[in-house]
Amino acid sequence: MKIQNGWHLVKAALEGFKRNKVRSLLTSLGIMIGVLSVVLLIALGLGLKNYLRQQFESLGANLVIIFPGNISSSEEGGGIANFGPGFAGGADFDEKDYLSLTRISEADYVVPLFMKSSVIESETERKFGYFMGTNEQAFKILNLETLEGKFFTKSDLTARTKVAVLGQNLADGLYEDSKDAVGKTIRVGEQRFKVIGVAKKKGDREQDNGVITPYKTSFGTLNSGKTFFTIYLGTTDEKSIEVIKRRAEEILLKRYKKGDFTVTEQTEILSTVNQIFSIVNAILVAIGSISLLVGGIGIMNIMYATVTERTKEVGIRRAVGATQWDILKQFLTESVLLSIFGGSLGLIIASLIVLIVRRFFPVSLNLLAVFIAIAVSSGIGIFFGVFPARRAAKLPPIEAIRYE
Amino acid sequence: MIKLVNVCKSYFLGDEEVKAVCNINLEIKDKDYIGILGTSGSGKSTLMYLIGLLEQPTSGKVILEGKDVSKLSDTDLSKIRNKTVGFVFQQFNLINRFTVLENVLLPTKYSKRDLDFDPIKRADELLTHFGIFDRRNFFPNKISGGQQQRVAIARALIMKPKVILADEPTGNLDSKTGDEIIKLLSSLNKELGVTVIIVTHEKEIAKKTKRRIYIKDGKIVEKYL
Ligand SMILES: Nc1ncnc2c1ncn2[C@@H]1O[C@H](COP(=O)(O)OP(=O)(O)O)[C@@H](O)[C@H]1O
Ligand SMILES: [Mg+2]
């Protein structure tokens, strides 16, 4: 009986919309735009998060990352602007730092990294890529796999052999087939390297376009300052992270001032970046909410007009036995349905946009966004519909029935 | 069935009190057939709304089957209107965006108890009985006044009420159609035993009823002048 009654209300409201298509559509437009923008913004926020996570997950787990400058400290006024090697000034790490850090017994891997963007030449092609000087453990912590050939070893490092491993994209650009690269010679600046391997593509721009060489080989020529921008400390045991961070700081403080370098772990960077994006997201959602609010007021406005238009109908219904609550439900059903209709339309359009944008950027919709869209639009329907519906319910039956 | 004891109803226009009806004492019995006669503005409609529980008195009591209705909630009053009262108005008061059938069915949508009949079947029976079954899917503005008033009577009857209250039911009809409507209402009283109250300012119509009440300036008087 109850359900039947509810269904009757929905059906009556829908028939009403059918007779007033244009007005119903225009009324729900505000909610549609509001939900559309809120859902898109959530999708964009999630997309950015996904993108960043992908970037970080291309590094192996349990990494301590050391770089010059300071991202986390407010006391130094550093902030995100100083993020990343080379921006901050601060310490220039050298081989001595690297070697001292290798004495941390809890760290299974210690990997120094020098990197600069350069033009890379084969016999026939010139491509833009990233020249990197590092050690043989880099392949481990970067999770690289060979597509062809092999990676360089510790003895290549000590012997300063002029060998290089190419990222798959770069190899593709320089040679007809990335597999042809092995055995060929490439040139970076004045320096020649023999290609001994190609690393499988990972989706990381820098690594996929990288020329990875033993760092000692690059000293004096491509890395004339003999410095590193980043030093990675890796462990297989998550529990050692804190110890490694503490000991790395102790070691570096012997040579550098506090604030000249940052010792952090990848999850910390991730959470800093996430924090910044949640603030940006909150602002965007607040903007979207304003259009929801405006949409809600639009619905309220139309519902007041509808109540006035149907004053006589209210009187008739009251005469044949409708209670105040029945009348309230009738008008509330209309405003909620209008609102949900607008919300669903917004959701559908947002989903289509997400499907299209997805080809270029990892935006995503989740159940939360869908839930929010529906909950918010029905909430708005109820909130803004309740005032006009109350007016209808409180109409004195006689005055309503005499209304012309 | 319904008793009015010293009932007054006033409307207030700002500070000014308009006494629409006052000192009404009246008893309506089962199967009554009453004509309420009076000039325009004498308070007939107000009296009818009081009897039909659409309006609460300013003073005095309306007693329905021994119970003072002033103590009832809006929900209770609505339920009683739904179950026991059927209204018929001068302007028909059908909902124009609903079809004839939907209008007739309207009271059944507000029945909280289970109906002891199939609403559509009963609506069709009533429409057939009143000769307008072929108009059941028409909108009210597409049928004649006489037909609209029959639809209104069908709507008033669908819940099997005890009393039909008709407020100048022929006021918007030509005399021939008006006579047919009055005949129809009379037959409801005779054949179905429904209490029928017809409000009118025409003596000729009031003559058809079993009992007449004359009203002047909001008061019941002995004789219609
Ligand atoms: N809502 C109202 N506000 C003020 N005065 C009203 C209202 N309704 C009716 N009246 C007044 O009450 C008196 C009786 O009205 P009514 O019952 O409609 O008379 P009738 O139906 O006999 O023509 C009239 O003088 C009318 O002007
Ligand atoms: Mg009247």
Side-chain angles (χ1 to χ4, degrees):
Chain A
M1 192 65 212
K2 272 267 156 59
I3 293 164
Q4 209 180 336
N5 208 7
W7 176 235
H8 154 69
L9 286 170
V10 171
K11 225 172 79 178
L14 291 179
E15 307 246 294
F17 300 155
K18 246 201 279 178
R19 281 168 202 159
N20 248 322
K21 285 192 195 94
V22 175
R23 183 160 106 177
S24 309
L25 194 70
L26 288 178
T27 308
S28 39
L29 211 62
I31 300 293
M32 189 208 86
I33 293 171
V35 167
L36 175 66
S37 41
V38 170
V39 170
L40 277 186
L41 293 168
I42 292 175
L44 186 71
L46 286 171
L48 283 170
K49 260 187 197 164
N50 286 349
Y51 176 72
L52 285 166
R53 186 165 310 128
Q54 272 175 21
Q55 293 292 304
F56 278 99
E57 273 170 6
S58 65
L59 299 171
N62 303 329
L63 275 190
V64 170
I65 301 164
I66 301 170
F67 48 81
N70 190 348
I71 56 158
S72 54
S73 83
S74 40
E75 69 259 32
E76 306 281 326
I80 194 71
N82 284 349
F83 179 45
F87 287 99
D92 275 328
F93 302 124
D94 58 17
E95 194 173 13
K96 201 168 144 193
D97 296 320
Y98 160 59
L99 292 173
S100 347
L101 290 167
T102 55
R103 290 204 302 269
I104 302 175
S105 54
E106 288 84 357
D108 301 316
Y109 310 106
V110 180
V111 176
L113 180 69
F114 167 81
M115 180 163 83
K116 70 173 183 183
S117 52
S118 323
V119 173
I120 322 287
E121 296 170 75
S122 66
E123 288 87 8
T124 53
E125 300 282 339
R126 285 164 62 88
K127 285 283 170 229
F128 189 79
Y130 296 90
F131 174 80
M132 304 180 197
T134 183
N135 67 7
E136 80 290 347
Q137 292 178 345
F139 302 108
K140 278 259 165 53
I141 64 157
L142 295 178
N143 277 337
L144 290 176
E145 288 172 45
T146 50
L147 179 77
E148 197 65 32
K150 56 183 170 53
F151 293 149
F152 63 76
T153 60
K154 192 162 186 178
S155 53
D156 287 319
L157 186 70
T158 42
R160 297 174 188 246
T161 53
K162 291 173 178 157
V163 293
V165 173
L166 298 187
Q168 190 176 349
N169 277 357
L170 184 63
D172 261 335
L174 293 173
Y175 301 97
E176 224 153 274
D177 186 336
S178 51
K179 293 175 181 170
D180 298 342
V182 177
K184 302 274 167 44
T185 301
I186 56 161
R187 213 160 63 117
V188 185
E190 292 306 308
Q191 183 91 54
R192 282 165 200 282
F193 294 91
K194 190 179 156 207
V195 178
I196 58 165
V198 177
K200 227 182 242 172
K201 195 190 291 202
K202 270 184 57 190
D204 180 292
R205 211 170 104 84
E206 287 155 13
Q207 288 170 34
D208 292 345
N209 291 291
V211 177
I212 306 168
T213 66
Y215 74 84
K216 278 178 195 279
T217 315
S218 62
F219 275 2
T221 56
L222 287 160
N223 182 4
S224 51
K226 301 187 182 181
T227 57
F228 299 116
F229 288 158
T230 316
I231 298 172
Y232 297 98
L233 303 172
T235 170
T236 48
D237 179 13
E238 201 181 331
K239 290 186 211 95
S240 325
I241 289 274
E242 283 310 312
V243 186
I244 294 172
K245 273 169 75 179
R246 193 157 22 84
R247 298 215 37 209
E249 253 167 71
E250 282 164 15
I251 290 167
L252 292 174
L253 276 174
K254 284 178 195 155
R255 282 187 77 188
Y256 306 105
K257 289 203 305 284
K258 195 169 190 277
D260 277 349
F261 64 90
T262 300
V263 176
T264 185
E265 55 189 294
Q266 115 201 52
T267 52
E268 256 175 53
I269 298 178
L270 201 60
S271 72
T272 307
V273 174
N274 271 350
Q275 250 172 34
I276 289 161
F277 277 114
S278 18
I279 293 167
V280 172
N281 229 9
I283 293 168
L284 293 178
V285 168
I287 294 168
S289 308
I290 292 171
S291 46
L292 279 176
L293 189 76
V294 173
I297 293 169
I299 285 189
M300 181 156 76
N301 194 17
I302 286 292
M303 288 312 294
Y304 269 125
T306 307
V307 169
T308 307
E309 234 170 56
R310 296 208 203 131
T311 301
K312 197 170 186 76
E313 177 183 322
V314 170
I316 295 167
R317 287 177 183 269
R318 296 280 277 138
V320 302
T323 60
Q324 292 187 348
W325 175 235
D326 287 326
I327 300 294
L328 188 93
K329 278 192 295 190
Q330 181 196 337
F331 285 95
L332 213 48
T333 306
E334 281 194 28
S335 55
V336 170
L337 282 181
L338 274 177
S339 192
I340 289 183
F341 174 71
S344 315
L345 217 60
L347 191 61
I348 290 168
I349 296 175
S351 313
L352 290 178
I353 294 178
V354 164
L355 276 181
I356 294 167
V357 173
R358 209 179 201 147
R359 299 202 210 140
F360 316 107
F361 189 76
V363 288
S364 74
L365 259 183
N366 61 4
L367 243 105
L368 181 75
V370 173
F371 176 78
I372 287 177
I374 288 167
V376 164
S377 45
S378 30
I380 283 176
I382 292 171
F383 182 80
F384 288 98
V386 91
F387 301 99
R390 253 179 65 96
R391 173 186 282 185
K394 294 279 177 201
L395 282 169
I398 293 309
E399 273 173 42
I401 219 160
R402 281 182 166 154
Y403 182 88
E404 283 308 325
Chain B
M1 182 172 56
I2 303 170
K3 228 164 103 177
L4 275 66
V5 182
N6 273 329
V7 165
C8 288
K9 176 71 192 181
S10 300
Y11 295 103
F12 294 90
L13 299 166
D15 285 342
E16 201 191 335
E17 181 181 2
V18 181
K19 284 192 173 176
V21 293
C22 208
N23 294 324
I24 302 285
N25 288 289
L26 178 63
E27 184 167 1
I28 295 154
K29 299 199 176 70
D30 277 352
K31 301 182 184 178
D32 246 346
Y33 185 18
I34 304 175
I36 298 179
L37 200 61
T39 53
S40 174
S42 58
K44 307 181 296 291
S45 295
T46 305
L47 178 58
M48 197 194 87
Y49 294 143
L50 285 163
I51 296 168
L53 308 183
L54 261 179
E55 193 87 281
Q56 290 275 34
T58 315
S59 65
K61 277 180 185 167
V62 177
I63 293 162
L64 175 79
E65 286 171 347
K67 263 189 285 179
D68 183 353
V69 301
S70 68
K71 303 211 163 60
L72 298 177
S73 67
D74 171 70
T75 309
D76 293 332
L77 288 171
S78 302
K79 199 188 282 174
I80 295 169
R81 283 200 298 272
N82 184 248
K83 279 200 297 190
T84 60
V85 185
F87 288 97
V88 176
F89 302 92
Q90 179 178 355
Q91 306 87 343
F92 319 132
N93 282 349
L94 300 174
I95 298 177
N96 280 323
R97 58 195 189 99
F98 291 162
T99 63
V100 162
L101 180 65
E102 287 166 342
N103 269 285
V104 174
L105 288 173
L106 189 66
T108 65
K109 308 291 184 192
Y110 296 114
S111 175
K112 300 288 189 281
R113 56 162 190 178
D114 286 319
L115 298 169
D116 60 0
F117 55 87
D118 174 5
I120 294 179
K121 209 174 136 215
R122 179 162 167 81
D124 284 345
E125 276 165 17
L126 288 166
L127 291 172
T128 308
H129 187 68
F130 297 161
I132 44 174
F133 180 77
D134 58 340
R135 296 286 184 272
R136 77 202 277 269
N137 293 320
F138 281 51
F139 289 98
N141 53 4
K142 294 281 189 289
I143 59 177
S144 73
Q147 288 172 330
Q148 289 191 52
Q149 197 60 300
R150 284 160 204 267
V151 175
I153 296 172
R155 179 181 66 190
L157 281 173
I158 190 146
M159 296 297 291
K160 303 178 180 172
K162 284 192 173 152
V163 51
I164 296 282
L165 299 170
D167 189 358
E168 311 212 26
T170 63
N172 279 0
L173 302 173
D174 61 69
S175 57
K176 185 173 164 284
T177 318
D179 284 348
E180 284 169 21
I181 294 295
I182 297 300
K183 268 192 201 124
L184 208 155
L185 290 169
S186 305
S187 73
L188 297 180
N189 174 257
K190 268 191 216 101
E191 287 158 29
L192 303 174
V194 180
T195 301
V196 174
I197 300 176
I198 300 178
V199 168
T200 181
H201 61 266
E202 291 175 55
K203 272 185 187 172
E204 290 306 308
I205 291 170
K207 269 186 189 164
K208 307 258 168 56
T209 59
K210 286 185 202 159
R211 182 155 80 97
R212 276 154 298 279
I213 291 164
Y214 304 104
I215 184 161
K216 195 183 172 216
D217 295 332
K219 294 193 176 70
I220 293 177
V221 291
E222 281 305 312
K223 196 92 189 101
Y224 187 57
L225 305 172

